[in-house]
Amino acid sequence: MREPIAAAQQDSPAVALGPTALVFGVIAALTSFFISPFALIAGGLAVTFGAAGLHYARQGVGRMWPAALGMTLGTVGVLGIAALLGAFGA
């Protein structure tokens, strides 16, 4: 029998930090090619949620890879928008 897709009653909210960081990281990476405030906001949230998700994943509560990938994509988004702003400012 299949396992349910919905969160179980005993799941902690920390389980959602990894996928949330991944979604914000993808948004930050995609919008970093345009000068958009969404890249900075989503990138900062992705790095924050990713770091918290990694912390809980090391304790065995959350998911490691979505948190790490989200944090990486968030960093790429923030650095991408910083590089664009630096190139236009020079």
Side-chain angles (χ1 to χ4, degrees), residues 20-88:
T20 304
L22 183 60
V23 168
F24 280 128
V26 167
I27 291 170
L30 290 177
T31 59
S32 69
F33 296 110
F34 312 106
I35 297 179
S36 170
F38 294 119
L40 289 174
I41 295 169
L45 288 172
V47 170
T48 303
F49 287 149
L54 285 176
H55 170 74
Y56 284 112
R58 288 186 184 124
Q59 294 177 355
V61 176
R63 297 179 180 104
M64 179 76 74
W65 288 109
L69 187 59
M71 192 166 77
T72 304
L73 286 173
T75 304
V76 166
V78 169
L79 291 179
I81 197 75
L84 276 176
L85 290 175
F88 286 130

